Amino acid sequence: MLVVVADLATKVVAVARWDDAPVELGWATLRVGRNPGVGFALGQDLGTPVILGLTGLLSIVFVVLAVRGHLGDVFSAGLLVGGALGNVIDRFDDGAVVDWFDLGWWPAFNVADAAITVGIAWLLVQTLRGPQPADPGPPPAQAPTA
């Protein structure tokens, strides 16, 4: 839920502050763009109902996988589900997702996109590390000796 709130809040700020006046940071630009497609603007010609249906379905799949424990730990699952839901909710407004962080050498993105990327990376790290032994907890208490 934290990712969804952070994503939607930053999109509101971006539209209010940088829609007509981008801010140059030197290494990045805060500028509003609207992406009617999915990652890297793919599928933008499919139309809003199709994109909304596909991204909504993907969000549902992420929720089911997270509940069943197939998205790694709570960190990666939360980032993936939160990012997917943030972008789906944003898309309901005008059929596009607000992207506002532009590095110049990479497509513009938002908090939800960053959360999905970090969530996938963390899930990959967990997968490559393999199963970890469970925490055995504290050692059992010993009876006092006389």
Short mmCIF file of all heavy atoms in Angstrom, two decimals, residues 47-107:
data_model
loop_
_atom_site.label_atom_id
_atom_site.label_comp_id
_atom_site.label_asym_id
_atom_site.label_seq_id
_atom_site.Cartn_x
_atom_site.Cartn_y
_atom_site.Cartn_z
N GLY A 47 -5.03 0.57 -27.56
CA GLY A 47 -6.21 1.22 -27.02
C GLY A 47 -6.32 1.05 -25.52
O GLY A 47 -5.85 0.07 -24.94
N THR A 48 -6.94 2.02 -24.89
CA THR A 48 -7.05 2.05 -23.43
C THR A 48 -7.74 0.83 -22.84
O THR A 48 -7.23 0.25 -21.88
CB THR A 48 -7.76 3.34 -22.98
OG1 THR A 48 -6.99 4.46 -23.43
CG2 THR A 48 -7.91 3.39 -21.47
N PRO A 49 -8.89 0.38 -23.38
CA PRO A 49 -9.55 -0.78 -22.76
C PRO A 49 -8.67 -2.03 -22.75
O PRO A 49 -8.63 -2.76 -21.75
CB PRO A 49 -10.80 -0.99 -23.61
CG PRO A 49 -11.07 0.33 -24.25
CD PRO A 49 -9.72 0.94 -24.46
N VAL A 50 -7.94 -2.26 -23.83
CA VAL A 50 -7.09 -3.46 -23.91
C VAL A 50 -5.93 -3.33 -22.92
O VAL A 50 -5.65 -4.26 -22.16
CB VAL A 50 -6.57 -3.68 -25.34
CG1 VAL A 50 -5.54 -4.79 -25.39
CG2 VAL A 50 -7.73 -3.98 -26.28
N ILE A 51 -5.25 -2.19 -22.93
CA ILE A 51 -4.12 -1.97 -22.02
C ILE A 51 -4.59 -2.02 -20.57
O ILE A 51 -3.94 -2.65 -19.71
CB ILE A 51 -3.41 -0.63 -22.32
CG1 ILE A 51 -2.79 -0.66 -23.71
CG2 ILE A 51 -2.38 -0.32 -21.26
CD1 ILE A 51 -1.62 -1.61 -23.86
N LEU A 52 -5.70 -1.40 -20.28
CA LEU A 52 -6.23 -1.42 -18.91
C LEU A 52 -6.59 -2.85 -18.50
O LEU A 52 -6.30 -3.27 -17.37
CB LEU A 52 -7.46 -0.51 -18.81
CG LEU A 52 -7.96 -0.16 -17.43
CD1 LEU A 52 -6.85 0.41 -16.55
CD2 LEU A 52 -9.09 0.84 -17.53
N GLY A 53 -7.18 -3.60 -19.40
CA GLY A 53 -7.52 -5.00 -19.10
C GLY A 53 -6.28 -5.85 -18.86
O GLY A 53 -6.22 -6.63 -17.90
N LEU A 54 -5.27 -5.69 -19.72
CA LEU A 54 -4.05 -6.48 -19.57
C LEU A 54 -3.28 -6.12 -18.30
O LEU A 54 -2.82 -7.00 -17.58
CB LEU A 54 -3.15 -6.29 -20.80
CG LEU A 54 -3.65 -6.90 -22.10
CD1 LEU A 54 -2.74 -6.49 -23.27
CD2 LEU A 54 -3.74 -8.41 -21.99
N THR A 55 -3.14 -4.82 -18.03
CA THR A 55 -2.41 -4.43 -16.83
C THR A 55 -3.20 -4.75 -15.56
O THR A 55 -2.62 -5.08 -14.53
CB THR A 55 -2.03 -2.93 -16.87
OG1 THR A 55 -3.21 -2.14 -17.05
CG2 THR A 55 -1.04 -2.66 -17.98
N GLY A 56 -4.52 -4.67 -15.65
CA GLY A 56 -5.35 -5.08 -14.51
C GLY A 56 -5.22 -6.56 -14.23
O GLY A 56 -5.09 -6.99 -13.08
N LEU A 57 -5.22 -7.35 -15.29
CA LEU A 57 -5.05 -8.81 -15.15
C LEU A 57 -3.68 -9.13 -14.58
O LEU A 57 -3.55 -9.98 -13.69
CB LEU A 57 -5.24 -9.49 -16.51
CG LEU A 57 -5.10 -11.00 -16.53
CD1 LEU A 57 -6.15 -11.65 -15.64
CD2 LEU A 57 -5.21 -11.52 -17.96
N LEU A 58 -2.65 -8.45 -15.05
CA LEU A 58 -1.31 -8.67 -14.52
C LEU A 58 -1.25 -8.32 -13.03
O LEU A 58 -0.61 -9.03 -12.25
CB LEU A 58 -0.28 -7.84 -15.31
CG LEU A 58 1.16 -8.00 -14.86
CD1 LEU A 58 1.62 -9.45 -15.03
CD2 LEU A 58 2.05 -7.06 -15.65
N SER A 59 -1.92 -7.26 -12.64
CA SER A 59 -1.96 -6.88 -11.22
C SER A 59 -2.63 -7.97 -10.38
O SER A 59 -2.15 -8.30 -9.29
CB SER A 59 -2.72 -5.55 -11.03
OG SER A 59 -2.04 -4.51 -11.69
N ILE A 60 -3.70 -8.52 -10.89
CA ILE A 60 -4.39 -9.61 -10.18
C ILE A 60 -3.47 -10.83 -10.07
O ILE A 60 -3.39 -11.46 -9.01
CB ILE A 60 -5.72 -9.97 -10.89
CG1 ILE A 60 -6.71 -8.83 -10.74
CG2 ILE A 60 -6.29 -11.27 -10.34
CD1 ILE A 60 -7.94 -8.95 -11.62
N VAL A 61 -2.76 -11.14 -11.14
CA VAL A 61 -1.81 -12.27 -11.11
C VAL A 61 -0.74 -12.01 -10.05
O VAL A 61 -0.39 -12.90 -9.28
CB VAL A 61 -1.18 -12.49 -12.51
CG1 VAL A 61 0.00 -13.44 -12.43
CG2 VAL A 61 -2.23 -13.03 -13.47
N PHE A 62 -0.21 -10.79 -10.00
CA PHE A 62 0.80 -10.45 -8.97
C PHE A 62 0.24 -10.64 -7.57
O PHE A 62 0.92 -11.17 -6.69
CB PHE A 62 1.29 -9.02 -9.15
CG PHE A 62 2.36 -8.83 -10.18
CD1 PHE A 62 2.81 -7.57 -10.49
CD2 PHE A 62 2.93 -9.90 -10.86
CE1 PHE A 62 3.80 -7.36 -11.44
CE2 PHE A 62 3.92 -9.72 -11.81
CZ PHE A 62 4.36 -8.45 -12.09
N VAL A 63 -1.00 -10.21 -7.34
CA VAL A 63 -1.60 -10.36 -6.01
C VAL A 63 -1.73 -11.83 -5.65
O VAL A 63 -1.37 -12.25 -4.55
CB VAL A 63 -2.98 -9.65 -5.95
CG1 VAL A 63 -3.73 -10.02 -4.68
CG2 VAL A 63 -2.81 -8.14 -6.03
N VAL A 64 -2.22 -12.64 -6.57
CA VAL A 64 -2.38 -14.08 -6.32
C VAL A 64 -1.03 -14.73 -6.05
O VAL A 64 -0.88 -15.51 -5.10
CB VAL A 64 -3.12 -14.77 -7.49
CG1 VAL A 64 -3.07 -16.29 -7.36
CG2 VAL A 64 -4.56 -14.29 -7.58
N LEU A 65 -0.04 -14.41 -6.87
CA LEU A 65 1.30 -14.98 -6.67
C LEU A 65 1.89 -14.54 -5.32
O LEU A 65 2.53 -15.34 -4.64
CB LEU A 65 2.23 -14.58 -7.81
CG LEU A 65 1.94 -15.23 -9.16
CD1 LEU A 65 2.84 -14.63 -10.25
CD2 LEU A 65 2.11 -16.74 -9.10
N ALA A 66 1.67 -13.30 -4.96
CA ALA A 66 2.18 -12.80 -3.67
C ALA A 66 1.53 -13.53 -2.50
O ALA A 66 2.20 -13.96 -1.56
CB ALA A 66 1.96 -11.29 -3.56
N VAL A 67 0.21 -13.68 -2.57
CA VAL A 67 -0.52 -14.37 -1.50
C VAL A 67 -0.06 -15.81 -1.37
O VAL A 67 0.07 -16.34 -0.27
CB VAL A 67 -2.05 -14.30 -1.75
CG1 VAL A 67 -2.80 -15.23 -0.84
CG2 VAL A 67 -2.55 -12.87 -1.58
N ARG A 68 0.25 -16.44 -2.48
CA ARG A 68 0.71 -17.84 -2.46
C ARG A 68 2.21 -17.97 -2.16
O ARG A 68 2.74 -19.07 -2.13
CB ARG A 68 0.39 -18.50 -3.79
CG ARG A 68 -1.10 -18.67 -3.98
CD ARG A 68 -1.41 -19.41 -5.24
NE ARG A 68 -2.85 -19.60 -5.37
CZ ARG A 68 -3.41 -20.24 -6.36
NH1 ARG A 68 -2.68 -20.77 -7.32
NH2 ARG A 68 -4.72 -20.37 -6.39
N GLY A 69 2.89 -16.84 -1.97
CA GLY A 69 4.30 -16.87 -1.61
C GLY A 69 5.25 -17.10 -2.76
O GLY A 69 6.40 -17.48 -2.56
N HIS A 70 4.81 -16.83 -3.99
CA HIS A 70 5.64 -17.08 -5.16
C HIS A 70 6.39 -15.84 -5.65
O HIS A 70 7.04 -15.89 -6.69
CB HIS A 70 4.80 -17.63 -6.31
CG HIS A 70 4.18 -18.95 -6.01
ND1 HIS A 70 4.91 -20.08 -5.71
CD2 HIS A 70 2.87 -19.32 -5.95
CE1 HIS A 70 4.08 -21.09 -5.48
NE2 HIS A 70 2.84 -20.65 -5.62
N LEU A 71 6.28 -14.73 -4.93
CA LEU A 71 6.98 -13.51 -5.34
C LEU A 71 8.09 -13.16 -4.34
O LEU A 71 8.41 -12.00 -4.14
CB LEU A 71 6.02 -12.33 -5.49
CG LEU A 71 5.08 -12.39 -6.67
CD1 LEU A 71 4.21 -11.14 -6.75
CD2 LEU A 71 5.84 -12.57 -7.98
N GLY A 72 8.66 -14.18 -3.74
CA GLY A 72 9.75 -13.93 -2.80
C GLY A 72 9.25 -13.40 -1.47
O GLY A 72 8.11 -13.66 -1.07
N ASP A 73 10.10 -12.63 -0.83
CA ASP A 73 9.74 -12.11 0.49
C ASP A 73 8.76 -10.95 0.38
O ASP A 73 8.36 -10.54 -0.72
CB ASP A 73 11.00 -11.72 1.27
CG ASP A 73 11.78 -10.59 0.63
OD1 ASP A 73 11.25 -9.90 -0.27
OD2 ASP A 73 12.95 -10.38 1.02
N VAL A 74 8.38 -10.42 1.52
CA VAL A 74 7.38 -9.36 1.55
C VAL A 74 7.88 -8.10 0.84
O VAL A 74 7.10 -7.34 0.27
CB VAL A 74 6.94 -9.06 3.01
CG1 VAL A 74 8.07 -8.44 3.81
CG2 VAL A 74 5.72 -8.20 3.06
N PHE A 75 9.18 -7.87 0.82
CA PHE A 75 9.76 -6.70 0.16
C PHE A 75 9.53 -6.76 -1.35
O PHE A 75 8.97 -5.83 -1.94
CB PHE A 75 11.25 -6.59 0.50
CG PHE A 75 11.93 -5.41 -0.09
CD1 PHE A 75 11.66 -4.13 0.35
CD2 PHE A 75 12.86 -5.56 -1.11
CE1 PHE A 75 12.29 -3.02 -0.19
CE2 PHE A 75 13.51 -4.47 -1.66
CZ PHE A 75 13.22 -3.19 -1.20
N SER A 76 9.97 -7.84 -1.99
CA SER A 76 9.81 -7.93 -3.44
C SER A 76 8.33 -8.03 -3.82
O SER A 76 7.89 -7.39 -4.78
CB SER A 76 10.59 -9.11 -4.02
OG SER A 76 10.18 -10.33 -3.46
N ALA A 77 7.55 -8.78 -3.07
CA ALA A 77 6.12 -8.92 -3.37
C ALA A 77 5.42 -7.57 -3.24
O ALA A 77 4.61 -7.20 -4.10
CB ALA A 77 5.48 -9.95 -2.44
N GLY A 78 5.74 -6.82 -2.19
CA GLY A 78 5.12 -5.51 -1.99
C GLY A 78 5.47 -4.53 -3.09
O GLY A 78 4.61 -3.76 -3.56
N LEU A 79 6.72 -4.54 -3.52
CA LEU A 79 7.13 -3.64 -4.60
C LEU A 79 6.44 -3.99 -5.91
O LEU A 79 5.96 -3.11 -6.63
CB LEU A 79 8.65 -3.70 -4.78
CG LEU A 79 9.48 -3.06 -3.67
CD1 LEU A 79 10.96 -3.34 -3.88
CD2 LEU A 79 9.23 -1.56 -3.58
N LEU A 80 6.36 -5.28 -6.23
CA LEU A 80 5.73 -5.70 -7.48
C LEU A 80 4.23 -5.41 -7.49
O LEU A 80 3.70 -4.83 -8.45
CB LEU A 80 5.99 -7.18 -7.73
CG LEU A 80 7.43 -7.52 -8.12
CD1 LEU A 80 7.68 -9.01 -8.00
CD2 LEU A 80 7.73 -7.03 -9.51
N VAL A 81 3.55 -5.80 -6.43
CA VAL A 81 2.10 -5.58 -6.37
C VAL A 81 1.79 -4.09 -6.29
O VAL A 81 0.93 -3.57 -7.01
CB VAL A 81 1.48 -6.34 -5.17
CG1 VAL A 81 0.04 -5.92 -4.94
CG2 VAL A 81 1.58 -7.84 -5.40
N GLY A 82 2.51 -3.36 -5.44
CA GLY A 82 2.27 -1.92 -5.30
C GLY A 82 2.53 -1.17 -6.59
O GLY A 82 1.76 -0.28 -6.97
N GLY A 83 3.61 -1.50 -7.28
CA GLY A 83 3.91 -0.83 -8.54
C GLY A 83 2.86 -1.12 -9.60
O GLY A 83 2.42 -0.21 -10.31
N ALA A 84 2.46 -2.36 -9.70
CA ALA A 84 1.44 -2.72 -10.70
C ALA A 84 0.13 -2.01 -10.40
O ALA A 84 -0.49 -1.43 -11.31
CB ALA A 84 1.24 -4.23 -10.72
N LEU A 85 -0.29 -2.02 -9.15
CA LEU A 85 -1.56 -1.37 -8.80
C LEU A 85 -1.48 0.16 -8.97
O LEU A 85 -2.45 0.78 -9.42
CB LEU A 85 -1.95 -1.71 -7.37
CG LEU A 85 -2.38 -3.15 -7.13
CD1 LEU A 85 -2.62 -3.40 -5.64
CD2 LEU A 85 -3.62 -3.50 -7.94
N GLY A 86 -0.34 0.75 -8.64
CA GLY A 86 -0.19 2.20 -8.81
C GLY A 86 -0.40 2.61 -10.26
O GLY A 86 -1.11 3.58 -10.55
N ASN A 87 0.20 1.89 -11.17
CA ASN A 87 0.05 2.24 -12.59
C ASN A 87 -1.35 1.94 -13.12
O ASN A 87 -1.88 2.69 -13.93
CB ASN A 87 1.11 1.53 -13.44
CG ASN A 87 2.42 2.30 -13.45
OD1 ASN A 87 2.48 3.49 -13.19
ND2 ASN A 87 3.49 1.60 -13.77
N VAL A 88 -1.97 0.87 -12.65
CA VAL A 88 -3.34 0.57 -13.10
C VAL A 88 -4.30 1.66 -12.61
O VAL A 88 -5.13 2.15 -13.38
CB VAL A 88 -3.80 -0.83 -12.62
CG1 VAL A 88 -5.30 -1.00 -12.79
CG2 VAL A 88 -3.07 -1.90 -13.39
N ILE A 89 -4.18 2.04 -11.36
CA ILE A 89 -5.06 3.08 -10.81
C ILE A 89 -4.85 4.38 -11.58
O ILE A 89 -5.81 5.07 -11.94
CB ILE A 89 -4.80 3.27 -9.30
CG1 ILE A 89 -5.27 2.03 -8.54
CG2 ILE A 89 -5.50 4.52 -8.79
CD1 ILE A 89 -4.80 1.97 -7.10
N ASP A 90 -3.60 4.74 -11.85
CA ASP A 90 -3.31 5.97 -12.60
C ASP A 90 -3.91 5.92 -14.00
O ASP A 90 -4.42 6.91 -14.51
CB ASP A 90 -1.80 6.17 -12.68
CG ASP A 90 -1.40 7.47 -13.33
OD1 ASP A 90 -2.17 8.46 -13.23
OD2 ASP A 90 -0.33 7.52 -13.95
N ARG A 91 -3.89 4.78 -14.63
CA ARG A 91 -4.39 4.63 -16.00
C ARG A 91 -5.90 4.87 -16.08
O ARG A 91 -6.41 5.25 -17.13
CB ARG A 91 -4.04 3.23 -16.50
CG ARG A 91 -4.24 3.04 -17.96
CD ARG A 91 -3.75 1.68 -18.41
NE ARG A 91 -2.35 1.44 -18.15
CZ ARG A 91 -1.35 1.92 -18.86
NH1 ARG A 91 -1.60 2.70 -19.89
NH2 ARG A 91 -0.10 1.64 -18.56
N PHE A 92 -6.64 4.66 -14.98
CA PHE A 92 -8.09 4.88 -14.99
C PHE A 92 -8.44 6.34 -15.28
O PHE A 92 -9.50 6.62 -15.80
CB PHE A 92 -8.72 4.47 -13.65
CG PHE A 92 -9.12 3.03 -13.61
CD1 PHE A 92 -8.39 2.12 -12.87
CD2 PHE A 92 -10.23 2.57 -14.30
CE1 PHE A 92 -8.75 0.79 -12.81
CE2 PHE A 92 -10.60 1.24 -14.25
CZ PHE A 92 -9.85 0.35 -13.51
N ASP A 93 -7.57 7.26 -14.93
CA ASP A 93 -7.88 8.69 -15.07
C ASP A 93 -8.05 9.11 -16.53
O ASP A 93 -9.09 9.61 -16.91
CB ASP A 93 -6.80 9.52 -14.39
CG ASP A 93 -7.10 11.00 -14.41
OD1 ASP A 93 -8.28 11.37 -14.31
OD2 ASP A 93 -6.15 11.79 -14.54
N ASP A 94 -7.01 8.89 -17.33
CA ASP A 94 -7.10 9.34 -18.73
C ASP A 94 -6.56 8.32 -19.72
O ASP A 94 -6.25 8.65 -20.86
CB ASP A 94 -6.40 10.68 -18.92
CG ASP A 94 -4.91 10.62 -18.66
OD1 ASP A 94 -4.40 9.53 -18.30
OD2 ASP A 94 -4.23 11.65 -18.82
N GLY A 95 -6.42 7.07 -19.27
CA GLY A 95 -5.95 6.03 -20.17
C GLY A 95 -4.45 5.98 -20.34
O GLY A 95 -3.95 5.21 -21.16
N ALA A 96 -3.73 6.79 -19.58
CA ALA A 96 -2.28 6.81 -19.68
C ALA A 96 -1.68 6.87 -18.28
O ALA A 96 -2.35 7.24 -17.32
CB ALA A 96 -1.81 8.01 -20.50
N VAL A 97 -0.43 6.50 -18.20
CA VAL A 97 0.30 6.56 -16.93
C VAL A 97 1.19 7.80 -16.96
O VAL A 97 1.84 8.09 -17.96
CB VAL A 97 1.16 5.28 -16.75
CG1 VAL A 97 2.09 5.41 -15.57
CG2 VAL A 97 0.26 4.07 -16.57
N VAL A 98 1.22 8.53 -15.86
CA VAL A 98 2.08 9.70 -15.75
C VAL A 98 3.50 9.24 -15.43
O VAL A 98 3.73 8.59 -14.41
CB VAL A 98 1.57 10.68 -14.66
CG1 VAL A 98 2.58 11.80 -14.43
CG2 VAL A 98 0.22 11.24 -15.04
N ASP A 99 4.44 9.57 -16.31
CA ASP A 99 5.86 9.36 -16.07
C ASP A 99 6.46 10.74 -15.85
O ASP A 99 6.11 11.69 -16.55
CB ASP A 99 6.52 8.67 -17.26
CG ASP A 99 6.09 7.22 -17.41
OD1 ASP A 99 5.87 6.55 -16.39
OD2 ASP A 99 5.97 6.76 -18.56
N TRP A 100 7.36 10.85 -14.89
CA TRP A 100 7.86 12.19 -14.58
C TRP A 100 9.36 12.27 -14.29
O TRP A 100 9.91 13.35 -14.13
CB TRP A 100 7.09 12.78 -13.40
CG TRP A 100 7.12 11.92 -12.17
CD1 TRP A 100 6.20 10.98 -11.81
CD2 TRP A 100 8.11 11.93 -11.14
NE1 TRP A 100 6.58 10.39 -10.63
CE2 TRP A 100 7.74 10.97 -10.19
CE3 TRP A 100 9.27 12.67 -10.93
CZ2 TRP A 100 8.49 10.71 -9.05
CZ3 TRP A 100 10.01 12.41 -9.79
CH2 TRP A 100 9.61 11.44 -8.86
N PHE A 101 10.05 11.18 -14.25
CA PHE A 101 11.48 11.20 -13.97
C PHE A 101 12.23 10.76 -15.22
O PHE A 101 12.08 9.63 -15.67
CB PHE A 101 11.80 10.27 -12.79
CG PHE A 101 13.14 10.53 -12.18
CD1 PHE A 101 13.30 11.54 -11.25
CD2 PHE A 101 14.23 9.77 -12.55
CE1 PHE A 101 14.54 11.79 -10.69
CE2 PHE A 101 15.47 10.01 -11.99
CZ PHE A 101 15.64 11.02 -11.05
N ASP A 102 13.01 11.66 -15.80
CA ASP A 102 13.66 11.40 -17.09
C ASP A 102 15.17 11.51 -16.94
O ASP A 102 15.69 12.58 -16.65
CB ASP A 102 13.14 12.42 -18.11
CG ASP A 102 13.63 12.17 -19.52
OD1 ASP A 102 14.42 11.22 -19.74
OD2 ASP A 102 13.23 12.93 -20.41
N LEU A 103 15.86 10.39 -17.15
CA LEU A 103 17.32 10.37 -17.06
C LEU A 103 17.98 10.79 -18.37
O LEU A 103 19.18 11.02 -18.41
CB LEU A 103 17.80 8.96 -16.69
CG LEU A 103 17.38 8.47 -15.31
CD1 LEU A 103 17.74 7.00 -15.13
CD2 LEU A 103 17.99 9.32 -14.21
N GLY A 104 17.21 10.87 -19.43
CA GLY A 104 17.75 11.26 -20.72
C GLY A 104 18.23 10.08 -21.55
O GLY A 104 18.12 10.08 -22.76
N TRP A 105 18.76 9.07 -20.94
CA TRP A 105 19.28 7.90 -21.65
C TRP A 105 18.38 6.68 -21.44
O TRP A 105 18.67 5.61 -21.97
CB TRP A 105 20.70 7.57 -21.21
CG TRP A 105 20.86 7.44 -19.72
CD1 TRP A 105 21.16 8.44 -18.84
CD2 TRP A 105 20.72 6.26 -18.94
NE1 TRP A 105 21.19 7.96 -17.56
CE2 TRP A 105 20.93 6.61 -17.59
CE3 TRP A 105 20.42 4.93 -19.24
CZ2 TRP A 105 20.86 5.70 -16.55
CZ3 TRP A 105 20.36 4.02 -18.19
CH2 TRP A 105 20.58 4.40 -16.87
N TRP A 106 17.32 6.83 -20.69
CA TRP A 106 16.38 5.75 -20.39
C TRP A 106 14.98 6.33 -20.50
O TRP A 106 14.79 7.50 -20.21
CB TRP A 106 16.65 5.26 -18.96
CG TRP A 106 15.92 4.00 -18.59
CD1 TRP A 106 14.79 3.92 -17.83
CD2 TRP A 106 16.26 2.66 -18.93
NE1 TRP A 106 14.41 2.62 -17.69
CE2 TRP A 106 15.30 1.82 -18.36
CE3 TRP A 106 17.29 2.10 -19.69
CZ2 TRP A 106 15.32 0.44 -18.51
CZ3 TRP A 106 17.32 0.72 -19.82
CH2 TRP A 106 16.34 -0.09 -19.24
N PRO A 107 13.98 5.54 -20.89
CA PRO A 107 12.62 6.10 -20.95
C PRO A 107 12.19 6.67 -19.60
O PRO A 107 12.56 6.14 -18.54
CB PRO A 107 11.76 4.89 -21.33
CG PRO A 107 12.70 3.96 -22.03
CD PRO A 107 14.03 4.15 -21.35
#
